[in-house]
Amino acid sequence: MTIKQVCEKYHISQDTLRYYERIGAIPPVNRTKSGIRDYTGQDIGWVENVLCMRNAGVPVEMIAEYVKLCQQGDETFSARRDLLKSARSQILKQIEKYQTELQRLEYKISRYEAAVETGNLVWDEPDDQNTCEAHG
């Protein structure tokens, strides 16, 4: 596959794909005699890996380290496992943060739903008096 085909398939820009290759988040892709990248099935697997990990919020530096470890062989299994555990820990922290923010949004929505019905906006929580609603 050409870089254009890969980018169309995964809805990413060519610059993004080149960047991933340049920093080592995907291994170097073989090129044709004319210098055009020629993505094999294995290359596509690496592209899917980086996209999956990026979608999960894993930093590109961590992905590049993972790829480097993979290329070093089976003796890096424990290091790869540890790296993935670290990524998982970071993701779980993000999920916890999002859960907290979601709860706050749900509360605000409930207050506005009540206000639409009653014509009166009331905040139950004292901290909400410091929000933008208190200023406008």
Side-chain angles (χ1 to χ4, degrees), residues 24-28 42 45-46 49-50 53 61-84:
I26 61 172
Q42 186 176 14
W46 285 112
N49 178 67
V50 72
M53 293 179 88
E61 298 82 9
M62 191 176 277
I63 299 168
E65 179 64 21
Y66 176 80
V67 170
K68 180 179 165 185
L69 290 168
C70 288
Q71 292 175 318
Q72 291 174 3
D74 293 351
E75 64 274 4
T76 66
F77 284 160
S78 62
R80 286 186 252 170
R81 179 206 57 214
D82 293 345
L83 188 138
L84 293 174

Side-chain angles (χ1 to χ4, degrees), residues 103-115 118 120-136:
Q103 288 172 357
R104 186 169 180 85
L105 285 173
E106 293 290 352
Y107 168 73
K108 288 179 178 288
I109 290 167
S110 74
R111 296 296 78 213
Y112 280 106
E113 286 176 347
T118 66
N120 189 22
L121 181 58
V122 178
W123 299 104
D124 295 336
E125 299 177 13
D127 289 345
D128 285 334
Q129 297 308 310
N130 295 324
T131 62
C132 63
E133 289 84 2
H135 298 91

Side-chain angles (χ1 to χ4, degrees), residues 16-72:
T16 298
L17 196 51
R18 287 186 198 104
Y19 170 71
Y20 288 152
E21 184 179 350
R22 185 172 62 251
I23 66 162
I26 61 172
V29 176
N30 289 325
R31 296 176 183 248
T32 65
K33 290 180 183 179
S34 58
I36 297 171
R37 287 175 175 84
D38 183 23
Y39 290 83
T40 64
Q42 186 176 14
D43 295 324
I44 297 302
W46 285 112
V47 170
E48 290 176 353
N49 178 67
V50 72
L51 295 176
C52 174
M53 293 179 88
R54 285 299 297 142
N55 287 337
V58 178
V60 290
E61 298 82 9
M62 191 176 277
I63 299 168
E65 179 64 21
Y66 176 80
V67 170
K68 180 179 165 185
L69 290 168
C70 288
Q71 292 175 318
Q72 291 174 3

